[in-house]
């Protein structure tokens, strides 16, 4: 310690900041230790390296907005960590960057998607839809150019986007995607014209091509206006002219074989003929609040939606209520001063909480199996537990009670220990029975601590995807409504809409997400305003 | 307690023995009965999964509640016929990395919210609560569409990669965890860090050398909660990881019993136990913090 000139400074820390004595550590002291400085420099250089890594692909793709964004973020980070006035920001920036990029932007994106018709047949813009329609309708002419076809992908062999690697009769190689044809440089081509290796592409083996033959059927490479390349078999392709031709003058597509005219409906993003039939390839348009209106007003969808909502609330209330009752009952049972084997019981009773819930859901599902399940075999029954709506619902609730009550037990034990025993004894001296003492003395005190937990448990179970998906996948389904199952929660219903194999309806799914958000927010805001959580903000 | 009953019966005065037993039954006996029933309910699925894992036949229909044999055939099957070790490594990678980084990020933010007064603090705290009501997985459609584009630009963080999914998970790092930690930070007396600052410590030194050691219990609890929820996360992972080799153990097990639920059940049971092991281990070490930590979280909202 550097000696201080004023004798009383050691014992009087109340002099305030200006009187701070000089600090040890020389000129580094003001900026922290040398180690701290080195760590800071290292982290900043690492971050700069990330920035450079992020900019390169953007530069190649010519995405100047993206580059601007990266530069801005890097600049902000430098400003925050080199300035001395942004101390709170130094602690907030790392988390906030992730929060913005992977939570807030997706939320905003969800909201903007919810007012579009984005779905499997409506992905790109109108030009892309027209190119796809024309390319898909090409037929072979007598003089059609032929290509040797090698099917490849830019991603995973099972799921990545298909790419046609084509070699013409002169041996030139091209790569064709659903956006068009481009020359392929530096590819190895064998004698037969098959591409054997191409940089940046994964070639599919015959078995892999076979597995995706359905997709292959629907794949076409648009070339010039009114022409496209389609496969004929697994190793050859032809360039033909389109039967369906777009005419800008009438904004319509004419089928030259049948003479049918499909007129563009720019509100719905697809071409429709006079009978109201549409071409499969459409484009993305803004549909306003139509997605929301469908769930609320269209009789079929509204009955699914409100039916699911009702069961969703019932499920969350039932699970929350039951885990609370069971957990509290177990905690009360063990809440006596002298009981043997307490620790032993405790360990057994919280065991479900320490098991992996994901695996346990699947285990319970298999215990309910009709043919092989433990329950039917032990009870000698042939009940299709998960095939009937009500037994399936009971099964889902039972499983969640099993997984959820240990948590309530732990919380209730903690809360019970905070309540002085004397209170209950005093009530008994005053003539109250055990039940009365519990009902009027213990329970109200307990609820002070338990209410926020109950709200959180309710909110958690309201969106408990695993709880339903892993046991029933939302089923059982009635034959007249194959999209909404008996145990579906809103979140599992959303997931099926978005990622089902038939059609991916992103717009509807996003609208549903926004509605779930609204429902949960209303419930949470009402309950939060009654709890004291918000008061802590001002502490 | 089984020892107590014969004691009561052996007493010479039968009548008083019966009275004592009745008294005991009234005070403690029924509690033991209740606990045995609850414990049986809690344990039987666990017993079943252990017995299925040891079952030499390895099918669902041959698995009994009580082990009928002991063999490691299922474990051997699982290790040899599936990319089990890759799946397991993936699961542990996600759970551990997410837990560590989330704890760090939310502790940094909680320190700022607890100790500093700045413009936007109130908005930030309330904003965190509101964002929390739009759980990240509700935005799964948007995340899917976003990463379809990101994957084209940066294959290293696209679908089927560890880093991509980890980034998504970290988007939820600042959340209710921050609130939980802030509540705990608030209970550490301000005088401690103020005096350290007067002694010349920088804010970073105060944070790393004084605050963090004092709030270890809440760090442990948040780490545990994040670890458990990541290892059990299914929705995001199922959208993100489609490659067999990129899957987590949970996804792998799901796939294992999706098509052949009877035949593969023994392998599934081994996997289920393996998936629960890390949680059980962490649980065991953190036991003493758990009850307090959860209750603290409860009161802090």
């Amino acid at each position: 310690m550097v000696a201080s000139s004023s004798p009383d400074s050691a014992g009087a820390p109340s002099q305030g900041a200006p009187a701070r004595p000089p600090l040890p550590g020389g000129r580094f002291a003001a900026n922290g230790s040398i180690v701290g400085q080195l760590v800071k420099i290292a982290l900043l250089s690492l971050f700069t390296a990330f920035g450079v890594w992020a900019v390169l692909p953007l530069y190649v793709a010519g995405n100047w907005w993206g580059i601007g964004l990266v530069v801005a973020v890097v600049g902000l980070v430098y400003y925050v960590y080199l300035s001395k006035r942004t101390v709170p920001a130094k602690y907030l920036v790392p988390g906030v960057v992730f929060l913005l990029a992977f939570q807030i932007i997706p939320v905003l994106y969800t909201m903007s998607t919810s007012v579009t018709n984005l779905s499997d047949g409506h992905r790109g813009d109108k030009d892309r839809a027209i190119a796809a329609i024309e390319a898909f309708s090409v037929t072979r002419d007598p003089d059609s150019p032929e290509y040797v076809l090698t099917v490849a992908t830019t991603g995973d062999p099972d799921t990545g986007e298909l790419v046609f690697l084509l070699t013409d009769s002169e041996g030139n190689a091209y790569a064709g995607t659903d956006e068009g044809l481009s020359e392929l440089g530096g590819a190895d081509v064998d004698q037969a014209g098959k591409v054997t290796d191409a940089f940046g592409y994964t070639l599919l083996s015959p078995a892999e091509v076979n597995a995706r033959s359905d997709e292959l059927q629907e794949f076409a490479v648009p070339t010039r206006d009114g022409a496209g390349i389609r496969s004929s078999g697994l190793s050859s392709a032809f360039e033909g002219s389109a039967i369906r031709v777009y005419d800008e003058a009438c904004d319509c597509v004419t089928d030259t074989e049948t003479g049918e005219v499909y007129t563009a409906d720019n509100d719905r993003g697809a071409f429709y003929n006079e009978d109201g039939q549409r071409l499969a390839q459409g484009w993305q348009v803004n549909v306003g609040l139509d997605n929301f209106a469908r769930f609320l007003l269209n009789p079929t969808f509204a009955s699914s939606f409100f039916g699911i909502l009702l069961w969703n609330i019932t499920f969350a209330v039932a699970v929350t209520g039951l885990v609370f009752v069971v957990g509290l009952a177990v905690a009360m049972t063990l809440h006596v001063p002298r009981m043997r084997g307490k620790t032993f019981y405790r360990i057994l009773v919280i065991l479900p909480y320490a098991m992996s819930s994901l695996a346990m859901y699947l285990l319970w599902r298999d215990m309910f199996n009709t043919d092989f399940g433990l329950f039917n075999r032990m009870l000698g029954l042939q009940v299709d537990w998960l095939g009937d709506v009500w037994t399936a619902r009971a099964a889902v609730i039972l499983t969640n009670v099993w997984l959820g009550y240990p948590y309530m037990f732990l919380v209730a034990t903690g809360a019970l220990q905070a309540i002085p025993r004397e209170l209950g004894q005093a009530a008994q001296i005053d003539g109250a029975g055990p039940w009365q003492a519990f009902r009027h003395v213990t329970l109200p005190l307990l609820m002070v601590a338990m209410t926020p937990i109950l709200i959180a448990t309710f909110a958690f179970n309201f969106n408990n995807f695993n709880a339903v998906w892993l046991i029933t996948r939302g089923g059982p389904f009635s034959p007249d409504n194959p999209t909404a199952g008996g145990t579906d929660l809103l979140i599992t219903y959303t997931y099926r809409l978005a990622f089902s194999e038939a059609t991916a309806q992103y717009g509807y799914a996003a609208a549903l997400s926004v509605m779930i958000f609204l429902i949960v927010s209303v419930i949470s805001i009402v309950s939060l305003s009654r709890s004291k959580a918000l008061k802590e903000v001002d502490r | 307690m089984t020892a107590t009953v014969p004691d009561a019966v052996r007493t010479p005065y039968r009548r008083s023995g019966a009275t004592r037993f009745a008294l005991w039954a009234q005070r403690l006996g029924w509690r033991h009965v209740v606990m045995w029933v609850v414990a049986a309910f809690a344990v039987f699925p666990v017993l079943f999964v252990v017995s299925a894992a040891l079952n030499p036949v390895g099918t669902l229909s041959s698995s009994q509640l009580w082990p009928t044999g002991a063999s490691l055939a299922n474990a051997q099957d699982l290790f040899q016929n599936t990319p089990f070790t890759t799946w397991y490594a993936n699961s542990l990678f996600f759970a551990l990395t997410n837990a560590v980084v989330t704890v760090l990020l939310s502790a940094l933010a909680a320190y700022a919210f607890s100790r500093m007064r700045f413009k936007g603090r109130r908005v930030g705290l309330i904003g965190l609560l509101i964002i929390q009501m739009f759980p990240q997985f509700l935005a799964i459609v948007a995340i899917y569409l976003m990463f379809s584009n990101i994957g084209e630009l940066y294959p290293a963080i696209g679908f089927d990669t560890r880093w991509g999914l980890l980034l998504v998970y970290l988007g939820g790092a600042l959340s209710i965890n921050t609130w939980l930690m802030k509540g705990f930070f608030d209970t550490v007396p301000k005088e401690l860090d103020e005096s350290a600052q007067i002694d010349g410590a920088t804010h970073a030194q105060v944070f790393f050398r004084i605050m963090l050691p004092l709030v270890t219990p809440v760090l442990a609890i948040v780490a545990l909660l994040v670890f458990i929820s990541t290892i059990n996360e299914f929705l995001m992972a199922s959208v993100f990881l489609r490659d067999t080799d990129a899957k987590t153990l949970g996804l792998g097990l799901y796939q294992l019993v999706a098509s052949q639920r009877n035949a593969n059940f023994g392998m599934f049971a081994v996997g289920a136990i393996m998936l629960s092991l890390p949680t059980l281990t962490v649980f065991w070490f953190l036991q003493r913090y758990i009850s307090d930590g959860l209750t603290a979280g409860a009161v802090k909202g």
Side-chain angles (χ1 to χ4, degrees):
Chain A
M1 179 98 196
V2 178
S4 174
S5 53
S6 68
D8 60 352
S9 72
S14 60
Q15 290 196 341
R20 219 162 75 165
L23 296 166
R27 63 198 180 89
F28 286 110
N31 290 325
S33 62
I34 299 172
V35 178
Q37 287 296 304
L38 289 177
V39 169
K40 194 191 236 181
I41 292 168
L43 286 178
L44 277 180
S45 359
L46 191 68
F47 186 74
T48 315
F50 271 121
V52 173
W53 172 81
V55 158
L56 283 177
L58 289 169
Y59 178 74
V60 172
N63 186 338
W64 296 103
W65 285 104
I67 295 179
L69 187 69
V70 173
V71 171
V73 171
V74 174
L76 178 77
V77 167
Y78 267 86
Y79 169 69
V80 164
Y81 288 99
L82 294 180
S83 159
K84 277 184 192 162
R85 283 180 299 172
T86 53
V87 175
K90 288 184 172 61
Y91 288 85
L92 290 170
V93 158
V96 168
V97 166
F98 282 109
L99 183 76
L100 272 176
F102 299 108
Q103 187 142 15
I104 292 179
I105 290 176
V107 167
L108 298 177
Y109 193 9
T110 305
M111 289 179 177
S112 71
T113 309
S114 71
V115 295
T116 69
N117 66 346
L118 186 63
S119 58
D120 230 9
H122 299 269
R123 285 206 190 223
D125 57 5
K126 194 172 172 181
D127 290 338
R128 209 173 144 186
I130 292 169
I133 288 170
E134 290 185 337
F136 186 60
S137 72
V138 296
T139 49
R140 191 191 293 254
D141 308 324
D143 55 342
S144 286
E146 291 270 351
Y147 295 94
V148 176
L149 168 67
T150 313
V151 183
T153 175
T154 47
D156 179 62
D158 298 323
T159 51
E161 273 186 56
L162 288 179
V163 180
F164 276 5
L165 302 183
L166 304 157
T167 37
D168 62 15
S169 47
E170 285 152 28
N172 301 318
Y174 304 93
T177 65
D178 57 359
E179 288 188 39
L181 206 59
S182 58
E183 286 204 29
L184 180 65
D188 296 337
V189 182
D190 71 5
Q191 289 266 301
K194 273 266 191 192
V195 175
T196 51
D197 185 39
F199 178 72
Y201 298 99
T202 314
L203 306 187
L204 300 192
S205 70
E208 285 165 343
V209 177
N210 236 334
R212 301 182 68 176
S213 58
D214 284 350
E215 270 177 86
L216 209 63
Q217 290 287 315
E218 294 177 15
F219 189 80
V221 182
T223 45
R224 38 178 210 283
D225 272 353
I229 297 173
R230 292 190 64 194
S231 72
S232 56
L234 300 184
S235 57
S236 64
F238 64 88
E239 180 171 17
S241 48
I243 296 177
R244 289 177 174 159
V245 183
Y246 176 72
D247 182 1
E248 210 168 332
C250 64
D251 196 13
C252 62
V253 169
T254 313
D255 192 315
T256 50
E257 255 180 8
T258 61
E260 252 180 308
V261 178
Y262 296 86
T263 318
D265 183 336
N266 286 317
D267 291 333
R268 290 195 279 179
F271 289 99
Y272 289 88
N273 69 4
E274 281 179 352
D275 306 332
Q277 283 195 305
R278 52 164 289 193
L279 295 173
Q281 295 91 342
W283 61 96
Q284 191 184 333
V285 290
N286 200 329
V287 294
L289 297 177
D290 277 7
N291 291 330
F292 296 92
R294 186 176 87 155
F295 284 115
L296 301 177
L297 302 176
N298 179 318
T300 348
F301 284 98
S303 79
S304 295
F305 174 72
F306 286 108
I308 291 174
L309 178 62
L310 188 67
W311 154 245
N312 202 151
I313 294 175
T314 317
F315 167 80
V317 169
V319 171
T320 311
L322 282 171
V323 294
F324 175 65
V325 170
V326 176
L328 181 59
V330 177
M332 296 287 295
T333 310
L334 277 185
H335 190 61
V336 278
R338 281 190 299 148
M339 182 168 169
R340 288 201 218 169
K342 246 187 191 177
T343 324
F344 173 68
Y345 287 135
R346 246 177 93 94
I347 290 176
L348 289 189
V349 157
I350 60 171
L351 195 57
Y353 189 50
M355 299 296 285
S356 150
S357 65
L358 198 158
M360 289 299 126
Y361 281 128
L362 293 170
L363 180 83
W364 276 85
R365 182 192 76 167
D366 287 340
M367 292 202 296
F368 283 115
N369 187 302
T370 316
D371 305 318
F372 319 112
L374 185 70
F375 291 130
N376 275 353
R377 281 190 293 122
M378 281 182 65
L379 303 171
L381 295 174
Q382 267 293 313
V383 180
D384 188 3
W385 297 104
L386 302 180
D388 176 80
V389 174
W390 288 103
T391 50
R393 288 179 175 174
V396 168
I397 292 179
L398 179 70
T399 310
N400 282 289
V401 170
W402 184 81
L403 272 166
Y405 84 87
Y407 170 70
M408 280 294 168
F409 162 73
L410 287 170
V411 174
T413 306
L416 276 175
Q417 275 159 3
I419 300 175
R421 275 174 204 278
E422 290 75 34
L423 284 179
Q425 289 166 353
Q428 281 184 340
I429 291 169
D430 286 352
W435 170 250
Q436 276 181 311
F438 169 73
R439 174 73 190 72
H440 295 289
V441 178
T442 316
L443 191 62
L445 287 171
L446 207 60
M447 290 312 280
V448 175
M450 296 288 278
T451 308
I453 282 279
L454 287 177
I455 296 169
T457 309
F458 175 85
F460 174 77
N461 279 303
F462 193 88
N463 282 321
N464 198 340
F465 177 85
N466 288 9
V468 166
W469 190 262
L470 296 178
I471 301 175
T472 62
R473 286 180 73 98
F477 297 94
S478 72
D480 48 301
N481 192 353
T483 52
T487 54
D488 250 334
L489 299 181
L490 289 172
I491 181 74
T492 57
Y493 182 51
T494 309
Y495 181 78
R496 190 171 317 104
L497 276 184
F499 299 104
S500 79
E501 281 148 24
T503 42
Q505 310 195 51
Y506 302 122
Y508 288 126
L512 207 51
S513 295
V514 172
M515 281 198 285
I516 298 176
F517 170 53
L518 291 179
I519 295 168
V520 177
S521 323
V522 169
I523 296 173
S524 309
I525 288 174
V526 168
S527 44
L528 272 177
S529 65
R530 293 179 178 198
S531 84
K532 52 179 193 161
L534 282 181
K535 287 187 193 141
E536 287 203 18
V537 173
D538 297 321
R539 256 178 59 163
Chain B
M1 47 284 14
T2 39
T4 323
V5 184
D7 268 357
V9 176
R10 248 190 281 126
T11 30
Y13 308 101
R14 282 191 67 84
R15 202 183 150 87
S16 110
T19 321
R20 267 175 61 192
F21 177 72
L23 262 176
W24 176 83
Q26 199 193 350
R27 263 204 71 235
L28 289 175
W30 67 270
R31 291 179 195 270
H32 286 288
V33 175
V34 171
M35 289 318 296
W36 276 106
V37 173
V38 177
F41 174 61
V43 168
F44 89 91
V46 180
L47 188 63
F48 178 57
V49 80
V50 172
S51 126
L54 295 174
N55 178 15
V57 186
T59 62
L60 175 55
S61 52
S62 68
S63 297
Q64 301 294 329
L65 189 56
W66 194 256
T68 46
S71 99
L72 292 176
N74 293 319
Q76 215 169 5
D77 267 1
L78 187 67
F79 279 97
Q80 284 172 358
N81 301 338
T82 66
F84 170 79
T85 29
T86 321
W87 290 346
Y88 203 46
N90 284 341
S91 273
L92 289 181
F93 167 82
F94 284 122
L96 280 175
T97 326
N98 193 19
V100 170
V101 183
T102 295
V103 165
L104 181 67
L105 291 182
S106 45
L108 285 169
Y111 175 63
F113 280 127
S114 169
R115 284 301 197 262
M116 298 168 194
R117 295 293 175 269
F118 50 92
K119 226 164 120 186
R121 174 177 175 274
R122 194 186 153 80
V123 176
L125 274 171
I126 295 178
L128 275 183
L129 267 189
I130 291 175
I131 274 291
Q132 194 58 29
M133 292 171 200
F134 199 110
Q136 208 182 16
F137 55 78
L138 275 185
I140 184 82
V141 172
I143 291 178
Y144 171 77
L145 295 171
M146 265 173 69
F147 270 84
S148 317
N149 295 329
I150 290 180
E152 277 174 28
L153 284 172
Y154 310 104
I157 56 169
F159 291 127
D160 288 329
T161 64
R162 287 174 166 188
W163 300 110
L165 185 55
L166 184 68
L167 285 177
V168 175
Y169 284 154
L170 289 179
L174 287 199
S175 60
I176 212 73
N177 299 329
T178 321
W179 273 83
L180 199 107
M181 285 196 186
K182 175 190 167 283
F184 210 98
F185 278 33
D186 287 344
T187 63
V188 176
K190 270 197 167 147
E191 289 74 20
L192 279 178
D193 38 302
E194 275 168 4
S195 61
Q197 263 169 344
I198 290 171
D199 284 350
T202 61
H203 57 84
Q205 285 169 332
V206 170
F207 175 71
F208 286 106
R209 300 238 178 107
I210 295 174
M211 286 305 268
L212 283 192
L214 285 173
V215 296
T216 324
V218 81
L219 301 184
I221 284 300
V222 170
L224 175 75
L225 293 179
V226 175
F227 186 91
I228 291 179
S229 66
T230 316
I231 223 167
N232 291 315
E233 207 282 325
F234 181 82
L235 183 57
M236 298 280 203
S238 76
V239 169
F240 241 83
L241 310 172
R242 295 161 302 184
D243 236 12
T244 310
D245 283 342
K247 284 190 191 323
T248 57
L249 183 53
L251 290 180
L253 291 181
Y254 179 76
Q255 188 195 347
L256 209 60
V257 283
S259 48
Q260 299 219 321
R261 55 203 284 192
N262 185 29
N264 287 342
F265 190 70
M267 277 154 74
F268 163 78
V270 176
I273 294 173
M274 295 295 285
L275 190 59
S276 302
L277 272 187
T279 327
L280 279 169
T281 317
V282 181
F283 223 81
W284 185 258
F285 281 113
L286 295 180
Q287 248 203 73
R288 60 209 177 93
Y289 294 133
I290 288 170
S291 188
D292 294 346
L294 290 178
T295 327
V299 183
K300 297 286 161 11

